[in-house]
Amino acid sequence: MNIPNPQIQAVLQRYNQRTKEREHNERLIKEGRVLEADSPERWAAFLDRRGVSLSDAESLRSPGGAGPRSRAIIGVQDEPFALERVLGASDLMGVAFLERGLQVARSIGRIWMGVSGGRPIGFGTGFMVSPRLLLTNHHVLGDLAVARSSLVEFDFQLGFDGNPFPTTSFTIAADEFHMANAPLDYAMVAVQPTSANGAGLRRFGWNPLIEQQGKAVISQWLNIIQHPNGEPKQLCLRENQLVDVLDDFIHYKTDTAPGSSGSPVYNDRWEVVGLHHSGVPATNAAGQMLATDGSIWRRDMGEQRIKWVANEGARVSKILAHLRSQPMNPSQRRLFDEVFSTPPAIAEREQAPSAAALPPAVGGGKLVCSDGVATWNIPLSISVRIGGDGTVTAAPIAQPSGGSADLSLTRPEPVPPATAGGSVAGGGASEDERAILEAAARELGQRADVVGVRLGYVFNENQWITDQRALVVTVRQKRAPAELREAGIGPLPQTFKGLPIQVSNPTLVDLVRQVRDPRVAEAAFADGQALLEEITYFGPPGASLPEVNEKMRVLAQVSPDAGWPVLRDFLGSTKRSLVVGMYDFGAPHIADAVEAAGGKRGFRKLILVMQKGESVGEGTKADDLKDTEVVKQLSKALGNKFKNAWVKKGPVSGWIASSYHIKVAVRDQEAFWLSSGNWQSSNQPNAEPLAEKPLRRVWLDKHNRDWHAVVEHPGLAKTFEQYLEHDFTNNGGTDAHEALDLPDLLLPEALLVPETLERTGEFEYFPPFDEDRVFKVQPLLTPDNYHAHTLALVKSAQDELLIQNQTFKAPGPSHDKLRELIDAVLERQRAGVKVRIIFRLLMPADARAALEGLKERGFDMDSIKIQPNCHTKGIIVDRSTVLLGSQNWSNDGVSVNRDASLIFFDKPLAKYFAKIFEHDWENLAQKSIGRQRQAVEFVGPDQATPDGMVRFNWKDYLEML
């Protein structure tokens, strides 16, 4: 961690101003007059905490005073030799000193500062001071934005045999608690109580902070446990001597390297006396800082090249006094009050391994010492003789993967396998594979750079799934070996117990869980089916959705080919009323067309029902409006003719579960427009590709594929209007505020058209299908009747089943309705029906997880392709029946959201869409998830979008989960 230069200068100034006092103290210490080096009041407080009076201490300094009498004075109130050591009469330390030091060391972690794309901006040290709060420096986590994207990694240290321990990482919960002060250089932050793979934070214990004076006096030796330069945990034992006490800081001299930013400074009782924050640099006569070789130090040399002469830490009592003066809400106050609680005994901490036990040993779990001496390297060597035959039983440590060594478990407590997106891994795995997964989760799953470990499959050089089993390790960001070395992160092994290891970037769910409080992620990814009792939706009284077999005009088309010209004419033909239910509405040209239609003489009403939250400002939606801006424009133009409602979504008393995802507009109770695409420029670009000469592929490359239909039939139009007005009536008083606190996603532009896709291949734009005759149609809505009719449609396939949907993945444990649909498709494939499936690529990691889940379920991977910008939700059965609409094949999409579709039992129309499907299968879809060479990141709404990246709002990505 780079200490700010102004801070170093301030430390140096304080140090130089105290030269006379410090030299006086050091002379007294050298002469053995330690009781004179600090004030009588501080010595009295210090000795009182040890059950000794100042007069008794003074008598021990008299000739012959040290020895049996001292131990008689202090009795059992402290360890043997403690007072003699304090007074400089002995250097002996009891073994309990080491035992307690190893215990408190578990509470100290390496801080990954401001992690973005898996890369931290720096490292620091921090330590737990309560069950939830961590203390470090202001220049480490004082910036709230940095703290929000940081994490703390515990057990980053080397074992007895030189191999690294498995680590456990927890995200910083800065929005729960973040108090910081630059002059004292401290930051106290909350930490999430559970790691990504289920480990509890309490197992690492904490250091209660003591406000009272008397923890240390001048002349005392101090101890520092730290992660210097982000390296594995190291201990500096009794090598820093307290030489001066200032109002807010303490100075301690050392002959070794300085402490790491944010390290705890302990006394011999392992009580925290200070928060280390900077070394004191050596300077020349001109005041220039010196390097270790005596030359003038330059910043490009790095802090490790500074010649340090002393250390400075902030006094704990001053930090606590400042914290007590800060305003806190009740939740913050409760967290702060726990700072003064007593940590549980080691045995009580959630099955944490005893820190007093011997370190893991090499071999079969035993450390064999012929002379009965066990040695710890921490990093100094300390040898302790123990009785018996010299054999010490210790938990075995896992050897590096890929070798011949036995891969034993590294933690005695069970650790659930970490999986991408929270799914259960290895559903169809053998017992051996599940055992390997469990071992891998223990050894690899707790590394700070690892998000999860699951059983998956090898992806070949073309980035397509194979039949070979693999362990998939999800990391915060895939990086080249050189980048790993630069970040101080060891590479993952290529194999583990015979299974190849494949490295994957995080999925969308993983990313959200990294950057948001678990409660936010839980609300965002809540299972709508499980929350069904909370949803207040009910259908219009007396309404139904019957099949219709009557004369009607059907004008079907796709985007970007002919979507906007048809929609423009549909809106322009409005005479009396327009009732709209829409997930996203921000395209200015569509807003203008609606306004123009509403301004016509005789126009009576415009009703707009929407879900709050928009995706605007980037890429194809760079000029799109916010939902509220559209409402303001229409309200200003139409006055009391215009009414709108914001639909309340779950999970508590929502009208629908997670998305008001419908795309329907009813005109004059005579016709309606129904689609898979929103009224956004990404779905309905202001363009007429069919009219261009020559034809340009750019519209296909950059805009969504969507299916639409305009149906002129008063009966069906009135049915959909009845349902939309029912939604309006039951959400008229809903606040426009959108409760989800989800960040924007930055996606590399190259991912939108992956490098493996041949962009110069054949392409075609399709004119609309337009026929006026008898059609047999079944209207569908969720949560009303979509599932049953769609399930029957899939099961009816005899020869061919074509599915093109933005989302298609294996169901989760409680996804009963989605499971029925997916299994029905699989059953048709196993029965010999030619099944082909196209779904969307947004992020390779999500596409990979989806493919692995489908393969695990039994799908033929040759029947699946991935298509960028696929926003369609269509099914074609035997080229005689076609379904089009807005239902994603997610569990909420097929069950508890508000969506609309139509099933046309009509061969000509089915063949029209089948031809478009064939075109996309051959020219737009691919068998590759692509390579992700640039980080996918989450950012706040006020952060700029870097070049080469495209921003996606939560409404863009949440609907695909």
Side-chain angles (χ1 to χ4, degrees), residues 245-453:
V245 177
L246 290 70
D247 288 341
D248 295 331
F249 298 95
I250 54 177
H251 288 158
Y252 33 101
K253 296 191 69 173
T254 179
D255 294 327
T256 61
S260 174
S261 297
S263 304
V265 182
Y266 293 103
N267 62 16
D268 276 354
R269 286 182 161 191
W270 295 104
E271 297 169 332
V272 180
V273 299
L275 170 66
H276 179 81
H277 80 130
S278 178
V280 179
T283 59
N284 59 17
Q288 296 171 302
M289 292 167 50
L290 299 179
T292 52
D293 60 2
S295 64
I296 297 174
W297 178 81
R298 303 183 312 274
R299 184 159 291 275
D300 60 4
M301 293 179 175
E303 290 176 6
Q304 67 274 13
R305 292 282 305 281
I306 296 176
K307 182 179 180 181
W308 302 101
V309 296
N311 284 318
E312 181 181 88
R315 295 174 61 180
V316 165
S317 57
K318 299 298 183 178
I319 292 174
L320 290 174
H322 186 268
L323 279 163
R324 285 196 181 279
S325 69
Q326 301 307 300
M328 300 182 190
N329 61 39
S331 176
Q332 292 171 327
R333 181 61 61 182
R334 285 193 295 271
L335 287 173
F336 178 67
D337 288 343
E338 291 182 330
V339 167
F340 308 100
S341 63
T342 302
I346 294 294
E348 298 173 6
R349 293 186 199 160
E350 299 184 11
Q351 300 183 355
S354 174
L358 290 177
V362 182
K366 294 183 178 180
L367 173 62
V368 180
C369 311
S370 58
D371 60 354
V373 175
T375 302
W376 289 264
N377 292 297
I378 54 174
L380 71 164
S381 296
I382 303 171
S383 298
V384 180
R385 181 172 299 279
I386 58 178
D389 61 359
T391 300
V392 181
T393 302
I397 190 168
Q399 303 299 316
S401 304
S404 59
D406 175 47
L407 288 166
S408 305
L409 303 183
T410 60
R411 285 285 182 265
E413 72 274 21
V415 180
T419 60
S423 61
V424 177
S430 67
E431 289 186 13
D432 287 345
E433 289 170 339
R434 284 193 290 268
I436 294 173
L437 173 62
E438 184 178 353
R442 288 190 178 95
E443 180 171 342
L444 306 175
Q446 298 189 56
R447 285 174 43 137
D449 59 326
V450 171
V451 176
V453 183

